[in-house]
Amino acid sequence: AVRWLAGEPAVEKPAQLHAATLRRALLAIPGAREERHRQIHLAHKDSTRTARFFLLELQLHPEPLDFAGAEAFVRSFRASSDSMDRIQRLTDRLATLHPAEGETLVKLLTGDLRLGIDRALVEEAIAAAFKSEPPEVRRVVDLTGDPGETAVLARHQRLAEAAAPVADEAATVGAPGSLATKELPFPQ
């Protein structure tokens, strides 16, 4: 969550959603019109925003989506290697989401998680959430370059142990096996 709020890229990006798959999935939703999709896409020039505004115009029957449901969908989507299956899965899921949730799901699948939140605000939130000193949190974010890793260290009251990332892939912040990857799974 901290990486998302800070606009950091997703750690795991296999089998991302491609624009053509998203377009086909959106157009397969009942009531979808290709010319309207084209107009919205030309106005926004952004796949995630296009998805949200396009979904706003359709008759959807939203069902709640929790973290466990989002994780299960993302894993099943990424596990599927058949493009037609992926389109159908995405169509079925988007048709049952509120447009804002649909946009968020598209962001998760594309890896485009930018939110534009100020870095200082994220650092203050980490400090407040884990009862740490804001200057110490700022120092660790500067040192590691990763607010997610900093949040994990703050959570465990281990900010003093922070070290700059090294070039070794296994020790790189966010690499498989790093502290942030191990301790920041989807909530259950």
PDB file of all heavy atoms in Angstrom, residues 144-178:
ATOM      1  N   THR A 144      17.267   4.421   1.621  1.00  0.00           N
ATOM      2  CA  THR A 144      16.875   3.202   0.898  1.00  0.00           C
ATOM      3  C   THR A 144      16.244   3.502  -0.451  1.00  0.00           C
ATOM      4  O   THR A 144      16.249   2.662  -1.340  1.00  0.00           O
ATOM      5  CB  THR A 144      15.858   2.370   1.709  1.00  0.00           C
ATOM      6  OG1 THR A 144      14.648   3.123   1.850  1.00  0.00           O
ATOM      7  CG2 THR A 144      16.412   1.973   3.061  1.00  0.00           C
ATOM      8  N   GLY A 145      15.619   4.678  -0.557  1.00  0.00           N
ATOM      9  CA  GLY A 145      14.914   5.017  -1.787  1.00  0.00           C
ATOM     10  C   GLY A 145      13.587   4.289  -1.918  1.00  0.00           C
ATOM     11  O   GLY A 145      12.970   4.296  -2.983  1.00  0.00           O
ATOM     12  N   ASP A 146      13.115   3.658  -0.844  1.00  0.00           N
ATOM     13  CA  ASP A 146      11.904   2.834  -0.914  1.00  0.00           C
ATOM     14  C   ASP A 146      11.003   3.077   0.292  1.00  0.00           C
ATOM     15  O   ASP A 146      11.298   2.605   1.393  1.00  0.00           O
ATOM     16  CB  ASP A 146      12.303   1.363  -0.987  1.00  0.00           C
ATOM     17  CG  ASP A 146      11.122   0.437  -1.210  1.00  0.00           C
ATOM     18  OD1 ASP A 146       9.961   0.867  -1.038  1.00  0.00           O
ATOM     19  OD2 ASP A 146      11.361  -0.726  -1.551  1.00  0.00           O
ATOM     20  N   PRO A 147       9.885   3.782   0.100  1.00  0.00           N
ATOM     21  CA  PRO A 147       8.975   4.009   1.234  1.00  0.00           C
ATOM     22  C   PRO A 147       8.338   2.721   1.752  1.00  0.00           C
ATOM     23  O   PRO A 147       8.007   2.626   2.933  1.00  0.00           O
ATOM     24  CB  PRO A 147       7.921   4.969   0.680  1.00  0.00           C
ATOM     25  CG  PRO A 147       8.059   4.910  -0.795  1.00  0.00           C
ATOM     26  CD  PRO A 147       9.440   4.447  -1.109  1.00  0.00           C
ATOM     27  N   GLY A 148       8.171   1.713   0.906  1.00  0.00           N
ATOM     28  CA  GLY A 148       7.627   0.432   1.352  1.00  0.00           C
ATOM     29  C   GLY A 148       8.564  -0.262   2.324  1.00  0.00           C
ATOM     30  O   GLY A 148       8.148  -0.751   3.377  1.00  0.00           O
ATOM     31  N   GLU A 149       9.841  -0.322   1.975  1.00  0.00           N
ATOM     32  CA  GLU A 149      10.855  -0.911   2.849  1.00  0.00           C
ATOM     33  C   GLU A 149      10.930  -0.123   4.157  1.00  0.00           C
ATOM     34  O   GLU A 149      11.019  -0.701   5.243  1.00  0.00           O
ATOM     35  CB  GLU A 149      12.210  -0.910   2.144  1.00  0.00           C
ATOM     36  CG  GLU A 149      13.303  -1.627   2.900  1.00  0.00           C
ATOM     37  CD  GLU A 149      13.283  -3.127   2.675  1.00  0.00           C
ATOM     38  OE1 GLU A 149      12.659  -3.606   1.732  1.00  0.00           O
ATOM     39  OE2 GLU A 149      13.919  -3.831   3.478  1.00  0.00           O
ATOM     40  N   THR A 150      10.845   1.197   4.043  1.00  0.00           N
ATOM     41  CA  THR A 150      10.876   2.050   5.238  1.00  0.00           C
ATOM     42  C   THR A 150       9.690   1.763   6.143  1.00  0.00           C
ATOM     43  O   THR A 150       9.833   1.687   7.369  1.00  0.00           O
ATOM     44  CB  THR A 150      10.892   3.538   4.830  1.00  0.00           C
ATOM     45  OG1 THR A 150      12.033   3.763   3.994  1.00  0.00           O
ATOM     46  CG2 THR A 150      10.963   4.449   6.048  1.00  0.00           C
ATOM     47  N   ALA A 151       8.514   1.576   5.577  1.00  0.00           N
ATOM     48  CA  ALA A 151       7.323   1.282   6.376  1.00  0.00           C
ATOM     49  C   ALA A 151       7.490  -0.041   7.130  1.00  0.00           C
ATOM     50  O   ALA A 151       7.107  -0.143   8.298  1.00  0.00           O
ATOM     51  CB  ALA A 151       6.084   1.234   5.486  1.00  0.00           C
ATOM     52  N   VAL A 152       8.064  -1.043   6.471  1.00  0.00           N
ATOM     53  CA  VAL A 152       8.288  -2.329   7.144  1.00  0.00           C
ATOM     54  C   VAL A 152       9.270  -2.159   8.293  1.00  0.00           C
ATOM     55  O   VAL A 152       9.046  -2.658   9.400  1.00  0.00           O
ATOM     56  CB  VAL A 152       8.786  -3.399   6.141  1.00  0.00           C
ATOM     57  CG1 VAL A 152       9.217  -4.663   6.868  1.00  0.00           C
ATOM     58  CG2 VAL A 152       7.708  -3.709   5.123  1.00  0.00           C
ATOM     59  N   LEU A 153      10.343  -1.438   8.053  1.00  0.00           N
ATOM     60  CA  LEU A 153      11.324  -1.200   9.120  1.00  0.00           C
ATOM     61  C   LEU A 153      10.699  -0.420  10.275  1.00  0.00           C
ATOM     62  O   LEU A 153      10.915  -0.751  11.443  1.00  0.00           O
ATOM     63  CB  LEU A 153      12.543  -0.459   8.561  1.00  0.00           C
ATOM     64  CG  LEU A 153      13.431  -1.262   7.610  1.00  0.00           C
ATOM     65  CD1 LEU A 153      14.435  -0.350   6.912  1.00  0.00           C
ATOM     66  CD2 LEU A 153      14.138  -2.387   8.356  1.00  0.00           C
ATOM     67  N   ALA A 154       9.911   0.591   9.963  1.00  0.00           N
ATOM     68  CA  ALA A 154       9.256   1.387  11.009  1.00  0.00           C
ATOM     69  C   ALA A 154       8.265   0.526  11.788  1.00  0.00           C
ATOM     70  O   ALA A 154       8.161   0.638  13.012  1.00  0.00           O
ATOM     71  CB  ALA A 154       8.555   2.592  10.390  1.00  0.00           C
ATOM     72  N   ARG A 155       7.546  -0.308  11.080  1.00  0.00           N
ATOM     73  CA  ARG A 155       6.565  -1.190  11.731  1.00  0.00           C
ATOM     74  C   ARG A 155       7.229  -2.067  12.792  1.00  0.00           C
ATOM     75  O   ARG A 155       6.679  -2.332  13.853  1.00  0.00           O
ATOM     76  CB  ARG A 155       5.901  -2.068  10.681  1.00  0.00           C
ATOM     77  CG  ARG A 155       4.959  -3.093  11.235  1.00  0.00           C
ATOM     78  CD  ARG A 155       4.383  -3.908  10.112  1.00  0.00           C
ATOM     79  NE  ARG A 155       3.535  -4.964  10.620  1.00  0.00           N
ATOM     80  CZ  ARG A 155       3.211  -6.027   9.944  1.00  0.00           C
ATOM     81  NH1 ARG A 155       3.637  -6.174   8.706  1.00  0.00           N
ATOM     82  NH2 ARG A 155       2.448  -6.948  10.468  1.00  0.00           N
ATOM     83  N   HIS A 156       8.432  -2.513  12.510  1.00  0.00           N
ATOM     84  CA  HIS A 156       9.166  -3.387  13.426  1.00  0.00           C
ATOM     85  C   HIS A 156      10.166  -2.609  14.293  1.00  0.00           C
ATOM     86  O   HIS A 156      11.019  -3.235  14.927  1.00  0.00           O
ATOM     87  CB  HIS A 156       9.876  -4.487  12.639  1.00  0.00           C
ATOM     88  CG  HIS A 156       8.926  -5.389  11.923  1.00  0.00           C
ATOM     89  ND1 HIS A 156       8.146  -6.323  12.570  1.00  0.00           N
ATOM     90  CD2 HIS A 156       8.588  -5.465  10.610  1.00  0.00           C
ATOM     91  CE1 HIS A 156       7.385  -6.946  11.690  1.00  0.00           C
ATOM     92  NE2 HIS A 156       7.626  -6.441  10.491  1.00  0.00           N
ATOM     93  N   GLN A 157      10.036  -1.273  14.283  1.00  0.00           N
ATOM     94  CA  GLN A 157      10.927  -0.411  15.074  1.00  0.00           C
ATOM     95  C   GLN A 157      12.399  -0.714  14.772  1.00  0.00           C
ATOM     96  O   GLN A 157      13.220  -0.820  15.678  1.00  0.00           O
ATOM     97  CB  GLN A 157      10.624  -0.569  16.581  1.00  0.00           C
ATOM     98  CG  GLN A 157       9.185  -0.245  16.959  1.00  0.00           C
ATOM     99  CD  GLN A 157       8.805   1.194  16.637  1.00  0.00           C
ATOM    100  OE1 GLN A 157       9.528   2.131  16.958  1.00  0.00           O
ATOM    101  NE2 GLN A 157       7.678   1.377  15.958  1.00  0.00           N
ATOM    102  N   ARG A 158      12.732  -0.828  13.478  1.00  0.00           N
ATOM    103  CA  ARG A 158      14.090  -1.163  13.055  1.00  0.00           C
ATOM    104  C   ARG A 158      14.652  -0.138  12.076  1.00  0.00           C
ATOM    105  O   ARG A 158      15.489  -0.472  11.248  1.00  0.00           O
ATOM    106  CB  ARG A 158      14.092  -2.563  12.431  1.00  0.00           C
ATOM    107  CG  ARG A 158      13.772  -3.641  13.461  1.00  0.00           C
ATOM    108  CD  ARG A 158      13.551  -5.026  12.906  1.00  0.00           C
ATOM    109  NE  ARG A 158      14.419  -5.411  11.809  1.00  0.00           N
ATOM    110  CZ  ARG A 158      14.210  -6.461  11.032  1.00  0.00           C
ATOM    111  NH1 ARG A 158      13.160  -7.230  11.224  1.00  0.00           N
ATOM    112  NH2 ARG A 158      15.034  -6.745  10.050  1.00  0.00           N
ATOM    113  N   LEU A 159      14.219   1.109  12.176  1.00  0.00           N
ATOM    114  CA  LEU A 159      14.711   2.141  11.254  1.00  0.00           C
ATOM    115  C   LEU A 159      16.225   2.320  11.372  1.00  0.00           C
ATOM    116  O   LEU A 159      16.891   2.613  10.376  1.00  0.00           O
ATOM    117  CB  LEU A 159      13.998   3.474  11.506  1.00  0.00           C
ATOM    118  CG  LEU A 159      12.538   3.520  11.084  1.00  0.00           C
ATOM    119  CD1 LEU A 159      11.883   4.818  11.564  1.00  0.00           C
ATOM    120  CD2 LEU A 159      12.398   3.380   9.580  1.00  0.00           C
ATOM    121  N   ALA A 160      16.774   2.136  12.560  1.00  0.00           N
ATOM    122  CA  ALA A 160      18.217   2.305  12.762  1.00  0.00           C
ATOM    123  C   ALA A 160      19.032   1.284  11.979  1.00  0.00           C
ATOM    124  O   ALA A 160      20.209   1.502  11.701  1.00  0.00           O
ATOM    125  CB  ALA A 160      18.552   2.205  14.255  1.00  0.00           C
ATOM    126  N   GLU A 161      18.408   0.173  11.581  1.00  0.00           N
ATOM    127  CA  GLU A 161      19.104  -0.878  10.844  1.00  0.00           C
ATOM    128  C   GLU A 161      19.142  -0.628   9.338  1.00  0.00           C
ATOM    129  O   GLU A 161      19.728  -1.411   8.602  1.00  0.00           O
ATOM    130  CB  GLU A 161      18.422  -2.230  11.097  1.00  0.00           C
ATOM    131  CG  GLU A 161      18.442  -2.665  12.540  1.00  0.00           C
ATOM    132  CD  GLU A 161      17.633  -3.919  12.764  1.00  0.00           C
ATOM    133  OE1 GLU A 161      17.431  -4.693  11.796  1.00  0.00           O
ATOM    134  OE2 GLU A 161      17.192  -4.127  13.907  1.00  0.00           O
ATOM    135  N   ALA A 162      18.503   0.439   8.886  1.00  0.00           N
ATOM    136  CA  ALA A 162      18.410   0.709   7.446  1.00  0.00           C
ATOM    137  C   ALA A 162      19.786   0.894   6.831  1.00  0.00           C
ATOM    138  O   ALA A 162      20.678   1.491   7.428  1.00  0.00           O
ATOM    139  CB  ALA A 162      17.565   1.945   7.195  1.00  0.00           C
ATOM    140  N   ALA A 163      19.920   0.370   5.634  1.00  0.00           N
ATOM    141  CA  ALA A 163      21.163   0.511   4.884  1.00  0.00           C
ATOM    142  C   ALA A 163      20.810   0.810   3.439  1.00  0.00           C
ATOM    143  O   ALA A 163      19.744   0.440   2.951  1.00  0.00           O
ATOM    144  CB  ALA A 163      21.986  -0.769   4.973  1.00  0.00           C
ATOM    145  N   ALA A 164      21.716   1.465   2.769  1.00  0.00           N
ATOM    146  CA  ALA A 164      21.507   1.755   1.353  1.00  0.00           C
ATOM    147  C   ALA A 164      21.492   0.453   0.574  1.00  0.00           C
ATOM    148  O   ALA A 164      22.224  -0.478   0.899  1.00  0.00           O
ATOM    149  CB  ALA A 164      22.615   2.665   0.834  1.00  0.00           C
ATOM    150  N   PRO A 165      20.626   0.362  -0.454  1.00  0.00           N
ATOM    151  CA  PRO A 165      20.609  -0.867  -1.260  1.00  0.00           C
ATOM    152  C   PRO A 165      21.933  -1.055  -1.977  1.00  0.00           C
ATOM    153  O   PRO A 165      22.603  -0.104  -2.340  1.00  0.00           O
ATOM    154  CB  PRO A 165      19.470  -0.634  -2.243  1.00  0.00           C
ATOM    155  CG  PRO A 165      19.165   0.815  -2.198  1.00  0.00           C
ATOM    156  CD  PRO A 165      19.693   1.358  -0.908  1.00  0.00           C
ATOM    157  N   VAL A 166      22.285  -2.329  -2.165  1.00  0.00           N
ATOM    158  CA  VAL A 166      23.511  -2.656  -2.889  1.00  0.00           C
ATOM    159  C   VAL A 166      23.147  -3.170  -4.259  1.00  0.00           C
ATOM    160  O   VAL A 166      22.000  -3.504  -4.528  1.00  0.00           O
ATOM    161  CB  VAL A 166      24.366  -3.693  -2.115  1.00  0.00           C
ATOM    162  CG1 VAL A 166      24.873  -3.099  -0.822  1.00  0.00           C
ATOM    163  CG2 VAL A 166      23.570  -4.950  -1.853  1.00  0.00           C
ATOM    164  N   ALA A 167      24.126  -3.286  -5.128  1.00  0.00           N
ATOM    165  CA  ALA A 167      23.870  -3.672  -6.513  1.00  0.00           C
ATOM    166  C   ALA A 167      23.475  -5.127  -6.667  1.00  0.00           C
ATOM    167  O   ALA A 167      22.871  -5.502  -7.646  1.00  0.00           O
ATOM    168  CB  ALA A 167      25.098  -3.378  -7.371  1.00  0.00           C
ATOM    169  N   ASP A 168      23.793  -5.976  -5.694  1.00  0.00           N
ATOM    170  CA  ASP A 168      23.453  -7.391  -5.761  1.00  0.00           C
ATOM    171  C   ASP A 168      21.937  -7.536  -5.873  1.00  0.00           C
ATOM    172  O   ASP A 168      21.194  -7.012  -5.074  1.00  0.00           O
ATOM    173  CB  ASP A 168      23.945  -8.078  -4.486  1.00  0.00           C
ATOM    174  CG  ASP A 168      23.696  -9.573  -4.497  1.00  0.00           C
ATOM    175  OD1 ASP A 168      22.626 -10.012  -4.959  1.00  0.00           O
ATOM    176  OD2 ASP A 168      24.581 -10.293  -4.033  1.00  0.00           O
ATOM    177  N   GLU A 169      21.458  -8.274  -6.880  1.00  0.00           N
ATOM    178  CA  GLU A 169      20.022  -8.397  -7.133  1.00  0.00           C
ATOM    179  C   GLU A 169      19.257  -8.938  -5.931  1.00  0.00           C
ATOM    180  O   GLU A 169      18.171  -8.478  -5.623  1.00  0.00           O
ATOM    181  CB  GLU A 169      19.749  -9.298  -8.335  1.00  0.00           C
ATOM    182  CG  GLU A 169      18.279  -9.416  -8.646  1.00  0.00           C
ATOM    183  CD  GLU A 169      18.011 -10.299  -9.841  1.00  0.00           C
ATOM    184  OE1 GLU A 169      18.663 -10.116 -10.871  1.00  0.00           O
ATOM    185  OE2 GLU A 169      17.149 -11.174  -9.727  1.00  0.00           O
ATOM    186  N   ALA A 170      19.809  -9.904  -5.217  1.00  0.00           N
ATOM    187  CA  ALA A 170      19.095 -10.488  -4.075  1.00  0.00           C
ATOM    188  C   ALA A 170      18.941  -9.488  -2.943  1.00  0.00           C
ATOM    189  O   ALA A 170      18.028  -9.592  -2.142  1.00  0.00           O
ATOM    190  CB  ALA A 170      19.840 -11.723  -3.582  1.00  0.00           C
ATOM    191  N   ALA A 171      19.827  -8.489  -2.862  1.00  0.00           N
ATOM    192  CA  ALA A 171      19.747  -7.520  -1.781  1.00  0.00           C
ATOM    193  C   ALA A 171      19.040  -6.244  -2.206  1.00  0.00           C
ATOM    194  O   ALA A 171      18.820  -5.362  -1.402  1.00  0.00           O
ATOM    195  CB  ALA A 171      21.158  -7.192  -1.281  1.00  0.00           C
ATOM    196  N   THR A 172      18.698  -6.117  -3.461  1.00  0.00           N
ATOM    197  CA  THR A 172      18.038  -4.916  -3.948  1.00  0.00           C
ATOM    198  C   THR A 172      16.661  -4.800  -3.331  1.00  0.00           C
ATOM    199  O   THR A 172      15.923  -5.765  -3.251  1.00  0.00           O
ATOM    200  CB  THR A 172      17.924  -4.939  -5.485  1.00  0.00           C
ATOM    201  OG1 THR A 172      19.230  -5.047  -6.025  1.00  0.00           O
ATOM    202  CG2 THR A 172      17.244  -3.689  -6.014  1.00  0.00           C
ATOM    203  N   VAL A 173      16.322  -3.596  -2.896  1.00  0.00           N
ATOM    204  CA  VAL A 173      15.019  -3.351  -2.282  1.00  0.00           C
ATOM    205  C   VAL A 173      13.921  -3.749  -3.251  1.00  0.00           C
ATOM    206  O   VAL A 173      13.936  -3.371  -4.412  1.00  0.00           O
ATOM    207  CB  VAL A 173      14.883  -1.866  -1.897  1.00  0.00           C
ATOM    208  CG1 VAL A 173      13.482  -1.577  -1.380  1.00  0.00           C
ATOM    209  CG2 VAL A 173      15.922  -1.499  -0.860  1.00  0.00           C
ATOM    210  N   GLY A 174      12.969  -4.534  -2.767  1.00  0.00           N
ATOM    211  CA  GLY A 174      11.852  -4.967  -3.591  1.00  0.00           C
ATOM    212  C   GLY A 174      12.119  -6.234  -4.378  1.00  0.00           C
ATOM    213  O   GLY A 174      11.228  -6.758  -5.007  1.00  0.00           O
ATOM    214  N   ALA A 175      13.360  -6.722  -4.341  1.00  0.00           N
ATOM    215  CA  ALA A 175      13.661  -7.968  -5.054  1.00  0.00           C
ATOM    216  C   ALA A 175      13.050  -9.136  -4.302  1.00  0.00           C
ATOM    217  O   ALA A 175      12.835  -9.056  -3.098  1.00  0.00           O
ATOM    218  CB  ALA A 175      15.178  -8.158  -5.163  1.00  0.00           C
ATOM    219  N   PRO A 176      12.754 -10.218  -4.995  1.00  0.00           N
ATOM    220  CA  PRO A 176      12.221 -11.387  -4.295  1.00  0.00           C
ATOM    221  C   PRO A 176      13.135 -11.768  -3.142  1.00  0.00           C
ATOM    222  O   PRO A 176      14.345 -11.836  -3.308  1.00  0.00           O
ATOM    223  CB  PRO A 176      12.189 -12.475  -5.371  1.00  0.00           C
ATOM    224  CG  PRO A 176      12.099 -11.703  -6.660  1.00  0.00           C
ATOM    225  CD  PRO A 176      12.887 -10.429  -6.417  1.00  0.00           C
ATOM    226  N   GLY A 177      12.547 -11.947  -1.972  1.00  0.00           N
ATOM    227  CA  GLY A 177      13.338 -12.308  -0.802  1.00  0.00           C
ATOM    228  C   GLY A 177      13.703 -11.125   0.068  1.00  0.00           C
ATOM    229  O   GLY A 177      14.182 -11.296   1.170  1.00  0.00           O
ATOM    230  N   SER A 178      13.500  -9.882  -0.386  1.00  0.00           N
ATOM    231  CA  SER A 178      13.815  -8.731   0.444  1.00  0.00           C
ATOM    232  C   SER A 178      12.763  -8.588   1.534  1.00  0.00           C
ATOM    233  O   SER A 178      11.683  -9.156   1.475  1.00  0.00           O
ATOM    234  CB  SER A 178      13.897  -7.448  -0.388  1.00  0.00           C
ATOM    235  OG  SER A 178      12.604  -6.974  -0.683  1.00  0.00           O
TER     236      SER A 178
END
